[in-house]
Amino acid sequence: MRVVALGATRGMGRALSRLMAERGDLLFLLGRDPKELDKASRDLEIRAGSGLRFGSAHCDLEQPDGFAAALDQAAATLGGLDCVIVSAGVFAPQAELEEDPAVARRMLEVNFARTVEFCEHVRRRLLAAGGGRLCVFSSVAGERGRKPVVLYGAAKAGLSCYLEGLDHKFRRLGLVTVCVKPGFVKTGMTAGLEPPPFAGEPKPVARRILRAIDRGTPVVYVPGIWRWIMLVIRHLPRFLMRRLGF
Amino acid sequence: METSGETLQGWGGTRAAGVEIRSEDLAAITRGAVLTRGLGRSYGDSSLPPPGTHSLPGSALADRILSFDSNSGALRAEAGLSIGEIQRLFLPRKWTFPVLPGTQYVTLGGAVAADIHGKNHHVDGTIGRHVGTLLLRVADDSVVRCSRQENYDLFQATLGGMGLTGHILEVEVALKRIPSPWIWRESERISGIDAFIEALAQASRDWPYTVGWMDALAQGASLGRGILIRGRWAEASEAPKKPPRSRPRLQVPFAFPGWALNSLSMRAFNTLYFHRHPKHPKRGIVHPESFFHPLDVVRRWNLIYGKRGFTQHQCVLPEKDRPGAAKRYLESLTAGGLGSFLCVIKDCGPEGEGLLSFPRSGISIAVDLPIRARTQETVNELNERVLEAGGRIYLAKDSLSTPEHFRAMEHRLEKFEVVRRRWDPERRLKSAQSVRLLGDSA
């Protein structure tokens, strides 16, 4: 597959891009920091061991004017697009988001409005080419309004809703949307937070996501157990949710 | 014994209050920190925070490969890359990590900090011999390069320095060419300790990898009986065409109750293990993982020792200078009555460059000891034998040695402290182990 990955320098995106590079997929990386992009590409090239070179280009979710050019460059380098992965995003604890409106605005913009805007660029390109796969990292935080993730969860709920709509409308035209809903995964993003039970590691989580991409599974929970945890949480009555701390 | 909640643990179950913060950005999280933790496979307290320190940076997510030269085998990577990952990626391309310890769950940083050795120590030395340039965040928070050409004192002290000289950020290491990713292995029964030392010496003349498993509970004439294992990388012509696949993993589901491992069950296991091996030598092609890291097949195997955990006593005894030292060590072990589930014997080659590096020429013995009321006493007794023989212990395994014993064994300590004073005059970098053994303030 010819794959474009936004946010592959760290965390689950890194683990996923490594799996893809090792099995022979051709990658093009998008991200904010040219030095990090360069290191990530070298790492992937060595892991792939095929002698292929993986390109990269600057793309920042906070600068939507650059989306089209970045995707154009990726498509030109790869000779077309089969799959686009969006694992970039920002996280901040609820307390900090409540405290500082600027942090909250940035989080809401990046995780919802800009991510959707980026996906719209991808949608047009993939549909024009006859189809493709779009895999976007949302979160289990978007399943229910919850005390520790009021704002972050709201942004992710919006994103999940958008992705579901895309899937319903465009799957028959060849655009396969995969919405990834991670529970707690131990990456740099969650460093310093106390891992809850059922916390996952990036590598096994990435294997599950890759399987979902290959099969075109519209929603994938990682680690898998979160599917059942969220099934319960979705059905908890409001009076109970109000009392619970999570 | 997984790290959970607000406690960090060594592989043997030694605990300390604290949390580990892992991030892809190792340079950022090591700023101002006292010690970096890798995969936490050192048995004792070397990866644990000193009292009063709550959080330690963890390197495991900083695992990018920075460069690889497919002609020379030179690999440069971030310190959190594990040996297992290197083997997984490079064995099929006929390159191997030059020194393979008993477990593959060791980061590059941890490998350098413990200056690890393996079954090929008698020919290839410790990992230090294969390491080029290191990138370190030192005590004043600056980032320094050290190698044989540059800041050599820091380089030497870092090999085997247990992370006390600086946070290892990047490691350059030379991988080794191999004819195939499979191992030709031979094994045979050995009747006792004297025969073992002789057989190891003989095997080491012709074989790159040698090690012995010993029944540490057999007494009298059978004292030190066991199985000698020797191996080499298989030639392409004798090896299977396909590279070895990763093997399925079993897992110990929960901490065994304390009584599960008693002298009876340990004796039964050791006797069975010895007699299961045929009387005649066995030979053939085996999976590299089962040869180098047999215990890795069982995840969390440390849980068989129950909640109290265990310690490992590993020492090297200069048997040539003091013939009979290994025998006296084993006699003290059996006299202690604790028993050891697992006992490994290996002959080491000459000492490397690391100022506190463990191996030196002699016989290395490693015994696992469950934590019981008598364990401290047994470790003291074993350390007396080590002292008498002019040997030393391996810090990566230790949690119970006294500072008096350690200082008496380590004539090189002063040299190490000189370098430490130069790079870390305030002794900012420390671990639970350095507080215990080197007198660092908590």
Side-chain angles (χ1 to χ4, degrees):
Chain A
M1 276 200 297
R2 294 164 299 182
V3 184
V4 178
L6 172 61
T9 54
R10 287 168 176 239
M12 289 179 271
R14 176 191 284 189
L16 180 59
S17 62
R18 282 176 177 174
L19 286 182
M20 298 184 102
E22 279 176 36
R23 72 173 193 181
D25 291 334
L26 196 55
L27 286 118
F28 191 92
L29 308 187
L30 300 179
R32 276 183 299 182
D33 184 338
K35 257 170 82 180
E36 287 292 298
L37 284 172
D38 207 46
K39 280 188 177 174
S41 308
R42 293 296 87 74
D43 177 64
L44 292 173
E45 285 163 6
I46 297 165
R47 284 166 187 269
S50 53
L52 289 173
R53 304 278 290 172
F54 296 153
S56 63
H58 179 265
C59 182
D60 184 345
L61 277 177
E62 290 183 86
Q63 297 170 16
D65 293 345
F67 292 170
L71 284 166
D72 284 343
Q73 194 184 335
T77 310
L78 296 171
L81 296 182
D82 301 311
C83 176
V84 178
I85 297 164
V86 184
S87 57
V90 292
F91 178 80
Q94 176 64 15
E96 196 183 329
L97 294 165
E98 282 175 18
E99 196 80 7
D100 190 340
V103 177
R105 187 193 311 126
R106 173 169 179 257
M107 188 283 296
L108 290 169
E109 275 183 11
V110 169
N111 286 357
F112 178 66
R114 301 297 170 237
T115 302
V116 169
E117 202 174 335
F118 181 83
C119 290
E120 285 294 286
H121 281 274
V122 173
R123 172 183 65 79
R124 279 189 287 273
R125 280 173 169 70
L126 290 181
L127 285 173
R133 274 149 216 273
L134 171 62
C135 169
V136 184
F137 284 56
S138 185
S139 169
V140 297
E143 302 272 281
R144 209 52 217 270
R146 292 190 292 122
K147 292 172 188 171
V149 285
V150 175
L151 288 155
Y152 181 78
K156 291 298 192 181
L159 180 60
S160 297
C161 185
Y162 162 75
L163 293 169
E164 183 181 349
L166 268 194
D167 186 56
H168 293 324
K169 180 158 184 197
F170 297 108
R171 186 169 281 246
R172 60 182 185 81
L173 298 176
L175 176 64
V176 174
T177 307
V178 176
C179 174
V180 182
K181 295 186 178 175
F184 193 99
V185 179
K186 296 180 200 163
T187 65
M189 191 182 97
T190 55
L193 301 177
E194 166 101 15
F198 312 116
E201 300 283 343
K203 220 173 155 177
V205 155
R207 272 195 287 272
R208 193 171 154 82
I209 297 170
L210 185 54
R211 202 163 53 229
I213 293 174
D214 288 340
R215 290 182 184 166
T217 315
V219 176
V220 58
Y221 291 85
V222 289
I225 182 135
W226 285 86
R227 176 178 178 186
W228 308 110
I229 298 173
M230 294 323 291
L231 182 74
V232 173
I233 289 180
R234 273 201 308 276
H235 290 90
L236 286 181
R238 286 185 80 108
F239 75 89
L240 205 59
M241 285 299 286
R242 191 165 291 142
R243 257 170 240 185
L244 292 174
F246 65 84
Chain B
M1 276 158 258
E2 270 192 343
T3 298
S4 68
E6 300 278 285
T7 339
L8 292 171
Q9 300 194 349
W11 185 244
T14 317
R15 292 171 178 79
V19 291
E20 180 185 331
I21 310 266
R22 286 185 179 181
S23 165
E24 291 87 353
D25 193 348
L26 188 58
I29 55 175
T30 49
R31 216 166 277 136
V34 301
L35 183 77
T36 296
R37 209 175 136 87
L39 287 168
R41 282 298 179 117
S42 58
Y43 285 51
D45 51 4
S46 26
S47 76
L48 299 182
T53 299
H54 185 65
S55 81
L56 291 185
S59 67
L61 292 178
D63 62 348
R64 277 184 301 207
I65 302 172
L66 301 167
S67 67
F68 178 66
D69 181 336
S70 54
N71 294 312
S72 70
L75 175 93
R76 207 160 56 79
E78 292 174 322
L81 183 67
S82 75
I83 293 175
E85 186 72 352
I86 294 176
Q87 293 301 87
R88 187 181 69 77
L89 289 165
F90 289 96
L91 272 185
R93 299 180 214 175
K94 297 186 184 164
W95 290 101
T96 182
F97 198 68
V99 169
L100 295 161
T103 175
Q104 62 193 306
Y105 303 117
V106 175
T107 62
L108 283 176
V112 170
D115 199 17
I116 55 158
H117 59 278
K119 297 173 174 56
N120 57 345
H121 186 267
H122 60 285
V123 286
D124 290 324
T126 62
I127 191 61
R129 198 192 285 182
H130 312 271
V131 167
T133 305
L134 299 173
L135 192 68
L136 245 61
R137 180 183 293 288
V138 289
D140 68 3
D141 266 351
S142 60
V143 173
V144 199
R145 220 163 270 285
C146 68
S147 65
R148 285 179 187 80
Q149 288 78 38
E150 200 179 347
N151 297 319
Y152 184 55
D153 64 334
L154 183 62
F155 181 79
Q156 264 189 307
T158 301
L159 299 179
M162 305 312 288
L164 300 172
T165 56
H167 304 277
I168 302 170
L169 302 177
E170 289 176 19
V171 175
E172 183 187 44
V173 61
L175 302 190
K176 230 173 114 169
R177 260 275 175 230
I178 47 174
S180 87
W182 294 88
I183 289 286
W184 177 269
R185 176 190 192 267
E186 298 190 2
S187 59
E188 63 176 306
R189 277 198 203 175
I190 303 291
S191 59
I193 182 65
D194 294 330
F196 226 133
I197 292 170
E198 178 51 37
L200 273 169
Q202 204 176 351
S204 293
R205 279 195 278 276
D206 307 323
W207 295 80
Y209 297 105
T210 62
V211 72
W213 165 85
M214 222 165 26
D215 176 357
L217 293 160
Q219 294 181 16
S222 303
L223 181 80
R225 74 175 176 187
I227 292 163
L228 174 81
I229 298 154
R230 46 186 186 248
R232 58 170 170 79
W233 293 102
E235 291 305 322
S237 55
E238 57 191 359
K241 291 278 164 294
K242 284 193 172 165
R245 305 182 62 162
S246 69
R247 300 191 309 162
R249 295 279 193 272
L250 309 165
Q251 177 162 317
V252 176
F254 51 83
F256 281 17
W259 47 261
L261 267 200
N262 53 44
S263 57
L264 204 71
S265 64
M266 283 194 272
R267 197 178 298 275
F269 172 84
N270 277 274
T271 306
L272 254 170
Y273 196 91
F274 180 78
H275 287 286
R276 213 190 56 157
H277 192 283
K279 283 193 178 123
H280 57 84
K282 256 186 7 183
R283 46 179 62 99
I285 300 284
V286 296
H287 195 291
E289 211 179 302
S290 75
F291 183 76
F292 291 109
H293 324 290
L295 289 173
D296 284 351
V297 155
V298 184
R299 270 194 210 141
R300 307 200 293 172
W301 62 262
N302 52 353
L303 290 181
I304 64 167
Y305 286 94
K307 289 216 170 81
R308 279 181 291 180
F310 70 112
T311 186
Q312 187 175 86
H313 193 262
Q314 181 168 6
C315 64
V316 57
L317 305 163
E319 183 70 27
K320 277 220 179 68
D321 310 343
R322 309 280 163 86
K327 190 169 178 187
R328 288 190 291 276
Y329 178 91
L330 289 179
E331 282 165 353
S332 283
L333 177 72
T334 47
L338 257 187
S340 172
F341 190 59
L342 194 81
C343 176
V344 174
I345 181 169
K346 158 85 198 141
D347 57 330
C348 289
E351 193 168 287
E353 293 161 278
L355 293 184
L356 275 192
S357 170
F358 162 68
R360 52 154 295 162
S361 41
I363 293 289
S364 163
I365 300 180
V367 294
D368 283 1
L369 303 169
I371 300 291
R372 301 282 184 267
R374 297 197 298 283
T375 311
Q376 180 68 59
E377 203 182 315
T378 304
V379 168
N380 292 347
E381 194 60 34
L382 293 175
N383 278 337
E384 286 292 329
R385 297 293 88 71
V386 176
L387 256 179
E388 284 163 19
R392 60 170 79 120
I393 55 159
Y394 191 9
L395 288 177
K397 308 290 179 74
D398 187 59
S399 57
L400 292 178
S401 291
T402 63
E404 293 74 25
H405 272 143
F406 178 68
R407 281 167 186 280
M409 285 170 202
E410 267 313 339
H411 308 297
R412 307 170 300 172
L413 193 56
E414 187 41 40
K415 225 174 153 188
F416 178 75
E417 292 291 17
V418 167
V419 182
R420 236 182 132 198
R421 274 196 291 276
R422 178 166 171 227
W423 289 92
D424 184 10
E426 291 152 44
R427 286 161 93 96
R428 282 193 43 227
L429 305 177
K430 55 195 171 185
S431 64
Q433 188 170 61
S434 79
V435 169
R436 177 170 60 88
L437 291 178
L438 305 185
D440 293 350
S441 60

